[in-house]
Amino acid sequence: MTLTTGVRDMAELAARIAAGDRRALSKGITLVESTRPDHRAEARALLAALPALGRPAMRLGLTGTPGVGKSTFIESFGLMLADDGLRVAVLAVDPSSGVSGGSILGDKTRMDRLSRHTGAYIRPSPSNRTLGGVARRTREAVRLCEAAGFDLVLIETVGVGQSETMVANMTDLFLLLLAPAGGDELQGVKRGIMEMADLVLVNKADGALKAEAERAAADYAGALRLMRHRPIDPDGFPKVRTVSAMTGAGLAEARSELETLFNWRRKQGVLAERRRTQDLGWFRDEVDAGLRDLLDSDEDLRAKLADSARAVADGAAPDAAAADLLDALRARLSG
Amino acid sequence: MTLTTGVRDMAELAARIAAGDRRALSKGITLVESTRPDHRAEARALLAALPALGRPAMRLGLTGTPGVGKSTFIESFGLMLADDGLRVAVLAVDPSSGVSGGSILGDKTRMDRLSRHTGAYIRPSPSNRTLGGVARRTREAVRLCEAAGFDLVLIETVGVGQSETMVANMTDLFLLLLAPAGGDELQGVKRGIMEMADLVLVNKADGALKAEAERAAADYAGALRLMRHRPIDPDGFPKVRTVSAMTGAGLAEARSELETLFNWRRKQGVLAERRRTQDLGWFRDEVDAGLRDLLDSDEDLRAKLADSARAVADGAAPDAAAADLLDALRARLSG
């Protein structure tokens, strides 16, 4: 696949993506994930050429404890929606996948039936990236999916480091999937993650585990009532429900809860305000990242940065070394 | 107190600080804590004028759970060292003090006897600062205290957000003070904090609580053995000991453990390597902060930043807006 097709062709690629061409979408996402400077220029041209959004897709963040059955849940939940005529995109965020040598989540082989459905699109996590790098590129991939007309863009995270916060900062709703065990297990869920959740689903509510899942749901509901009061949401949210990704029990109810909250927030203007705030954060992140790139993009400054770092390692005062470097940059600005 | 005395006078201020003048030290710290651009220039001149370090002071980080008796511990431990002829500086790091309207920790009234000792110097946390701002200025205050000839620079943190990590990144040794309660209480100590500790002290090992403190120490020692293996330290570290800040029991032993570890690391070159790594981190932080200031320091770029942010709030694409702003900055660089 040739990526470098020239900025000129980006209008055509944008049009193909908007027309629902799956291969064009994959090519576009590969382009926004690339770090090559010429690809970055093309990616910017592509994003600029996308048509304005019509009805917003539901951007749904998903996390869960290891072994809770995230892939099975996404497959069952996604198939239910896709069979109902909705278009579902799944993006995986896994900053660690570079380390382990491959994508753990979002792997198409783990969501085999969903990946073969004509209404669904599954994209594994970009590999070999820092969390910040993954964030920048995932936001752009979400925009491509929205332009391609998906109704739901689900962003799954493996929950390494700050990845949940990152995903919550680019989605409209946040879903937390938990195992059917209460009490001590509750301690294992980070409080910050519980606080981000709009809907908590206790999975594996089937067979012998059904009663346990229901007890766990009651425990979690109690914990949530203690820790959160969010006056901008309708009564009862954040909610805790049980589901079985295996049997499909509770999935329709979970969908209904998500749609209720999404539509409520849209009507109240909360959704637009949240996206505006997220866009401003995105803008600031891009500016910060660009500022750091600035030193790298100029040969003289890059050499001076390396010299200064060497001097600090040899005992020079860090603040003075940094000040000198910034003075050199400032001198270039006024020159 | 006049701060703006001209860059010329900074050599004199540096000399007075190095001569042990307490008022000069306070003036110097106030200067490095100031955000005024002219003060920043003076602070840089002051730091550059400081004499090279002789024997390094022990930089000791301290944190503890609320109510564990940090102030009492610092007062007892500091008095023991000061009575022994050592010079002890105490800096408090409390990024939240701006919010609550005053310094909570490091308050001289809470360490009344230590603050009146001629061998001790106590400086409250700078207020109204972000964590990053506190980090930058505290590192500079540590350098002033070292130049003033203090043998121990103790940096106390209240443990808000990432402040422990920040303090660990600017100290040689990290001390964790815990309450005499094991079992469930152990869960309340963040794992990351336990992992940073070189010495864990269970306080209040006196009277009725003595046995409980000893049980807790055994529990913590067991937990530490499970979670950490650090081959660069001598046998037995990280250690867990009991103390009573009230009666003074165990304080001499705690001092001895800290000195053993400090001297071992100094001889092995671990201390110098750790400080070199910390200096490089400090350098990078200063460069990042300076880059962010860059946009603010130029009138045209500041106006463009505000315009871009407004455009994003009105629906412009965040990545394109950021790219435009950075292009403008780059154009100025090559102009």
Side-chain angles (χ1 to χ4, degrees):
Chain A
M1 182 174 61
T2 306
L3 281 172
T4 356
T5 46
V7 171
R8 204 174 340 192
D9 300 326
M10 289 302 119
E12 195 204 317
L13 185 58
R16 281 171 52 207
I17 290 172
D21 180 332
R22 210 58 64 88
R23 289 185 51 161
L25 176 60
S26 291
K27 188 170 169 177
I29 295 182
T30 302
L31 198 57
V32 300
E33 285 175 356
S34 172
T35 50
R36 270 177 48 182
D38 54 334
H39 288 172
R40 285 306 306 148
E42 290 187 338
R44 278 161 58 186
L46 173 63
L47 291 165
L50 292 176
L53 283 179
R55 205 172 65 95
M58 182 193 286
R59 301 176 192 166
L60 178 63
L62 170 71
T63 193
T65 42
V68 71
K70 279 199 291 291
S71 299
T72 312
F73 172 81
I74 294 172
E75 174 139 284
S76 302
F77 191 67
L79 278 173
M80 177 183 71
L81 299 174
D83 281 344
D84 207 24
L86 293 177
R87 301 188 63 212
V88 178
V90 179
L91 304 174
V93 161
D94 177 9
S96 69
S97 65
V99 179
S100 60
S103 170
I104 299 166
L105 292 169
D107 192 339
K108 289 186 187 184
T109 63
R110 293 183 65 192
M111 300 173 205
D112 181 49
R113 286 179 299 156
L114 184 61
S115 70
R116 285 186 284 108
H117 198 291
T118 53
Y121 177 78
I122 297 179
R123 177 82 184 187
S125 180
S127 56
N128 296 311
R129 286 299 169 76
T130 61
L131 191 59
V134 170
R136 290 175 81 182
R137 302 297 83 88
T138 303
R139 282 191 275 228
E140 295 180 353
V142 170
R143 259 195 41 212
L144 293 176
C145 290
E146 289 197 319
F150 285 93
D151 300 288
L152 173 74
V153 182
L154 193 151
I155 308 174
E156 175 195 15
T157 172
V158 68
V160 168
Q162 300 295 308
S163 64
E164 280 112 343
T165 307
M166 187 194 93
V167 169
N169 283 338
M170 59 174 74
T171 51
D172 304 315
L173 300 170
F174 200 73
L175 188 60
L176 172 62
L177 203 62
L178 294 176
D184 287 352
E185 294 299 313
L186 187 55
Q187 309 256 4
V189 181
K190 284 172 276 178
R191 184 188 165 99
I193 309 300
M194 283 292 276
E195 284 172 346
M196 286 191 298
D198 295 303
L199 182 64
V200 176
L201 295 179
V202 180
N203 193 21
K204 304 187 183 177
D206 49 51
L209 287 173
K210 191 165 187 290
E212 202 172 336
E214 278 161 6
R215 269 196 305 276
D219 285 355
Y220 287 123
L224 267 183
R225 266 191 301 274
L226 283 177
M227 69 170 71
R228 197 162 91 181
H229 172 68
R230 199 188 258 180
I232 57 160
D233 282 337
D235 271 358
F237 284 96
K239 290 190 178 176
V240 183
R241 294 284 177 264
T242 59
V243 292
S244 166
M246 204 83 106
T247 68
L251 291 182
E253 291 79 3
R255 171 191 178 174
S256 162
E257 298 287 9
L258 289 172
E259 285 176 346
T260 299
L261 185 57
F262 185 72
N263 290 327
W264 193 92
R265 286 192 183 165
R266 190 164 54 183
K267 277 185 203 128
Q268 300 289 320
V270 174
L271 189 72
E273 184 56 37
R274 180 174 168 131
R275 289 191 170 192
R276 194 154 37 232
T277 304
Q278 290 176 348
D279 278 354
L280 277 171
W282 179 3
F283 170 69
R284 276 191 299 267
D285 287 351
E286 289 286 329
V287 170
D288 283 350
L291 286 171
R292 281 189 297 269
D293 291 346
L294 199 63
L295 288 175
D296 262 343
S297 65
D298 181 284
E299 202 175 319
D300 291 349
L301 294 171
R302 193 171 56 232
K304 194 161 169 50
L305 175 66
D307 287 347
S308 302
R310 244 189 316 273
V312 169
D314 289 342
D319 55 328
D324 284 351
L325 181 67
L326 292 160
D327 281 346
L329 181 59
R330 232 174 267 117
R332 292 286 303 280
L333 273 180
S334 52
Chain B
M1 181 173 63
T2 306
L3 281 172
T4 356
T5 45
V7 171
R8 205 172 340 190
D9 300 326
M10 289 303 118
E12 194 205 317
L13 184 59
R16 282 171 53 206
I17 289 172
D21 180 333
R22 209 57 66 88
R23 289 186 50 163
L25 176 60
S26 289
K27 188 169 169 176
I29 296 182
T30 302
L31 198 58
V32 300
E33 285 175 355
S34 171
T35 50
R36 269 177 49 181
D38 54 335
H39 289 172
R40 285 306 305 148
E42 290 187 337
R44 277 161 58 187
L46 172 63
L47 291 165
L50 292 176
L53 283 179
R55 204 172 66 96
M58 183 194 286
R59 301 176 192 166
L60 178 63
L62 170 71
T63 192
T65 41
V68 70
K70 278 199 292 290
S71 299
T72 312
F73 173 80
I74 294 172
E75 175 140 283
S76 302
F77 190 68
L79 278 173
M80 177 183 70
L81 298 175
D83 282 344
D84 207 24
L86 294 177
R87 301 189 63 212
V88 178
V90 179
L91 305 175
V93 161
D94 177 9
S96 69
S97 65
V99 179
S100 59
S103 169
I104 297 165
L105 292 168
D107 192 340
K108 290 184 188 184
T109 62
R110 293 184 65 192
M111 300 173 204
D112 182 47
R113 286 179 298 155
L114 184 62
S115 70
R116 285 185 284 109
H117 198 292
T118 54
Y121 176 80
I122 298 179
R123 177 83 185 187
S125 180
S127 56
N128 294 312
R129 286 299 169 75
T130 61
L131 191 59
V134 170
R136 290 175 80 182
R137 301 298 82 89
T138 303
R139 282 192 275 228
E140 296 180 353
V142 170
R143 258 191 45 208
L144 293 176
C145 291
E146 288 195 319
F150 285 94
D151 301 288
L152 173 74
V153 182
L154 193 152
I155 309 174
E156 175 196 15
T157 172
V158 68
V160 168
Q162 300 294 308
S163 63
E164 280 113 342
T165 307
M166 186 194 93
V167 169
N169 283 338
M170 59 173 73
T171 51
D172 304 316
L173 300 170
F174 200 73
L175 188 61
L176 173 61
L177 203 64
L178 294 176
D184 286 353
E185 294 298 313
L186 187 56
Q187 308 256 4
V189 182
K190 283 174 275 177
R191 184 189 166 97
I193 309 300
M194 284 292 276
E195 283 172 347
M196 286 190 299
D198 295 302
L199 183 63
V200 176
L201 296 179
V202 179
N203 194 20
K204 304 187 183 176
D206 49 50
L209 286 173
K210 192 165 186 294
E212 202 172 337
E214 278 161 7
R215 269 197 305 275
D219 284 353
Y220 287 123
L224 266 182
R225 267 192 300 276
L226 284 177
M227 69 170 69
R228 197 162 90 179
H229 171 68
R230 200 189 255 181
I232 57 160
D233 282 337
D235 270 359
F237 284 96
K239 290 191 178 177
V240 183
R241 294 284 177 265
T242 58
V243 292
S244 166
M246 205 83 106
T247 68
L251 291 182
E253 291 79 2
R255 172 190 177 175
S256 163
E257 299 286 9
L258 289 172
E259 285 174 347
T260 298
L261 185 58
F262 184 72
N263 289 327
W264 194 91
R265 285 193 183 166
R266 190 164 53 182
K267 277 184 203 129
Q268 301 288 320
V270 175
L271 190 71
E273 183 56 36
R274 180 176 169 130
R275 288 190 173 190
R276 197 157 31 234
T277 304
Q278 290 177 348
D279 278 354
L280 277 170
W282 180 2
F283 170 69
R284 276 191 298 267
D285 287 351
E286 289 287 329
V287 171
D288 283 351
L291 285 170
R292 280 189 296 269
D293 290 347
L294 199 64
L295 288 176
D296 261 343
S297 64
D298 181 281
E299 202 174 319
D300 290 350
L301 293 172
R302 193 169 57 232
K304 192 159 171 52
L305 175 66
D307 286 348
S308 302
R310 243 190 315 273
V312 169
D314 289 343
D319 54 327
D324 284 350
L325 181 66
L326 292 161
D327 281 346
L329 180 60
R330 230 173 268 118
R332 292 286 303 280
L333 274 180
S334 52

